[in-house]
Amino acid sequence: MEFKTIIEPFKIKSVEPIHMSTEEQRAGYMANAHYNPFLLQSREVIIDFLTDSGTSAMSSEQWAGIMRGDESYAGAVSWERLQHEIQGLTGYPHILPTHQGRAAEHILYSYLGGAGKVFISNTHFDTTRANIEFNGAMAIDIPAPEARDRNSDYPFKGNIDTRMLDEHIRNYGAENIGAVILTVTNNSGGGQPVSMQNAKDAAAICKKYGVLFIIDCCRIAENSYFIRHFEPEYSNVPYREIAQQMFSLADGAIMSAKKDALVNMGGFLALKNAELAEACMGLLIINEGFSTYGGLSGRDMEAIAIGLKEVFDEGYLNYRIKSTRYLGEHIKAKGVPVLYPIGGHAVYVNAGMLYPHIPVDQYPGQALVCELYRIGGIRAVEIGSVMFGKYDDNRKLIPAPIELVRLAIPRRVYTQSHIDYTVEVFDEIVKNAANTKGLRITKEPKFLRHFTAHFEPIG
Ligand code: F0G
């Protein structure tokens, strides 16, 4: 018998108080933060959906592992455990520990990249793109065409466009391709999953041209859920085995352990090829630390090794994806336009459609982020023209293709009642939609303005 109510498959052993606030207090906090939620203090937030990265709750086993952490500089037992776990999961022999995902990206893509090189992905995450472009190479996104159809419920909108992949490799020349990067799930593409068939097809193309194929695997456990439930041949395959099969298609993987390894800090680079691993090892030692700890303390390595096992637990993954979907489906039912189907780690609201009366240069996504905070103390992030907008020569805004707001759900942190509360907050959001006003930017830095820009409400 399957019950409707989603229950958390864990008990709570340690709690962290949430500082409750009134709407009036929040109005003051938001004005102090210049209407930019990145500038709020966390104690001013009731529910924090800013990111699912580094915000997981660790299990009692992981905390026990923290005590076991071996802090030896070289050859720590904790390193042996982590290496063993990652080798078992990925099948790759060479493991390089880093302090987070972007450090692994920096090492691999600065080695493979440089002027004249081209990287191709379903969608590069912004740190991935930055690490590639910083070294003078080019990063091309080719999401599958199904992703463009907003109304379809195609389950694998995170796929890479394999026809374009073949074409691009031929046009740019295989020798100029730094790597093909498959990001699972596709975070910047709406958190949508990638099918095993698509990974197989991309792998076959890379093999045909002798191009390196890398998986950005920071949410691979969540991706495995979708493969099992939407690709019939995998319906009886355990989640971990699905991930193993996907790794077996590629030449290496990069992981931000802050997501599906259920820890607050950490990452790694895992590679098949010994020569490439040796070159990267040199950069690891210069930038991060010795090869048996990289950017991590022994206790971090213990927690990651345990988290990588726990994340494939059936009960956990079923609850995780269903809870995210519950939030998305329920606000959709209230008429809130969301990216559909709902992905694994976040719900993406289309603020441009929710507030059609707010012009893009008055930032509908920022308006929604401010409303969520004012009404419910919920912190979310704008992924629209504040984050990706640019100016032309006359300082006219070139808007982002879509005005999104991401509600990213930390793992094992909030209960189903927090989710129900969020659904209820959206009642008010919808009720106030027609009267919600936009904002103007009063101060902004040159780069990555979304983190520190100041705003003021219009009217
Ligand atoms: N790749 C993907 C797909 C990511 O989502 C992230 C981080 C990274 C790489 C970089 O990892 O933060 O450990 O250096 N995403 C976070 C987010 C920041 O909020 O989506 P990192």
Side-chain angles (χ1 to χ4, degrees), residues 218-222 255 257-262 307-308 311 411:
C218 66
R219 297 181 181 87
I220 195 164
E222 292 172 1
M255 182 169 204
K258 299 170 75 173
K259 285 82 170 173
D260 271 352
L262 301 172
L308 282 175
V311 76
R411 295 169 181 79

Side-chain angles (χ1 to χ4, degrees), residues 87-267:
Q87 285 171 337
L89 174 63
T90 62
Y92 307 139
H94 308 287
I95 314 299
L96 285 72
T98 61
H99 79 276
Q100 63 183 90
R102 68 197 70 180
E105 290 173 342
H106 177 67
I107 290 170
L108 184 64
Y109 303 141
S110 59
Y111 179 73
L112 296 171
K117 291 286 181 183
V118 178
F119 290 78
I120 307 172
S121 177
N122 45 347
T123 312
H124 293 85
F125 180 67
D126 51 15
T127 59
T128 319
R129 173 176 288 278
N131 271 303
I132 289 166
E133 291 177 348
F134 187 74
N135 285 293
M138 186 159 73
I140 302 176
D141 292 338
I142 46 165
E146 289 89 350
R148 282 193 288 275
D149 182 355
R150 288 204 194 133
N151 296 319
S152 98
D153 55 5
Y154 181 67
F156 294 107
K157 286 185 177 172
N159 283 353
I160 191 166
D161 185 334
T162 46
R163 194 184 57 79
M164 293 280 283
L165 178 61
D166 198 287
E167 212 174 285
H168 277 321
I169 298 176
R170 270 185 285 123
N171 288 347
Y172 287 102
E175 66 285 4
N176 297 319
I177 308 295
V180 170
I181 305 163
L182 195 63
T183 308
V184 303
T185 55
N186 189 350
N187 185 15
S188 305
Q192 302 287 326
V194 174
S195 70
M196 187 72 85
Q197 189 56 51
N198 187 248
K200 281 183 185 166
D201 294 345
I205 294 168
C206 291
K207 199 162 178 199
K208 177 169 81 174
Y209 293 108
V211 167
L212 199 72
F213 184 38
I214 299 292
I215 294 180
D216 178 334
C217 67
C218 66
R219 297 181 181 87
I220 195 164
E222 292 172 1
N223 199 80
S224 297
Y225 175 95
F226 290 97
I227 290 177
R228 173 146 153 200
H229 292 268
F230 294 100
E231 266 185 297
E233 314 141 64
Y234 296 93
S235 59
N236 291 316
V237 184
Y239 294 128
R240 188 167 181 273
E241 242 175 87
I242 292 175
Q244 285 171 320
Q245 286 191 35
M246 190 171 263
F247 283 121
S248 76
L249 301 168
D251 300 302
I254 277 183
M255 182 169 204
S256 166
K258 299 170 75 173
K259 285 82 170 173
D260 271 352
L262 301 172
V263 294
N264 307 114
M265 192 48 83

Side-chain angles (χ1 to χ4, degrees), residues 44-80:
E44 296 165 349
V45 174
I46 295 179
I47 297 189
D48 206 343
F49 288 150
L50 194 63
T51 179
D52 65 319
S53 180
T55 50
S56 302
M58 291 207 292
S59 65
S60 46
E61 272 307 304
Q62 285 176 298
W63 282 108
I66 294 271
M67 278 309 295
R68 274 200 307 271
D70 173 359
E71 304 302 340
S72 305
Y73 191 96
V77 178
S78 302
W79 162 243
E80 263 179 69

